[in-house]
Amino acid sequence: MLEMTREEFEELVAEALDRIPPELTRLMDNVAVFVEDEPSPDDPELLGLYEGTPLTERGEWYAGVLPDRITIYRGPTLRMCESKEDVVAETEITVVHEIAHHFGIDDERLHALGYG
């Protein structure tokens, strides 16, 4: 398994977020991004997870709720990658994938766009 500290991985996630175009980040609303070492044992190879209500499903009722949560998992990412460059690329894909869920884009469309 590739070695990378949590701090190094968190920096890669931050850099991936910084590469999201400003016109999209301005539209993001009530969402927080976290880094965790491992996902649930039920899905040990999960790279990222979006939990919340996508922007496309929010209505008048949406007020005073906790932020949506995007979690990027370090362990599975490092296990699947062979180099730091692979980690950088996979982290960016995962961040974009989970942000797309925040915008209401489903997995089928993401796979078609190359963010599988």
Side-chain angles (χ1 to χ4, degrees), residues 3-17:
E3 294 291 324
M4 182 176 287
T5 68
R6 176 140 180 178
E7 291 77 23
E8 291 171 318
F9 189 77
E10 287 174 348
E11 183 62 30
L12 291 182
V13 171
E15 290 170 3
L17 287 166

Side-chain angles (χ1 to χ4, degrees), residues 7 10-11 18 20 24-28 30 41 46 48 50 53 68-69 76 80 83 98-99 102 110:
E7 291 77 23
E10 287 174 348
E11 183 62 30
D18 287 344
I20 302 295
L24 290 180
T25 57
R26 280 193 293 272
L27 298 173
M28 293 173 64
N30 201 30
L46 187 66
Y50 170 74
T53 304
D68 291 1
R69 181 180 177 103
M80 75 174 291
S83 68
E98 301 311 328
I99 288 173
H102 175 68
L110 284 167

Side-chain angles (χ1 to χ4, degrees), residues 90-103:
E90 190 57 52
T91 301
E92 187 163 330
I93 288 169
T94 303
V95 167
V96 168
H97 184 107
E98 301 311 328
I99 288 173
H101 286 318
H102 175 68
F103 283 101

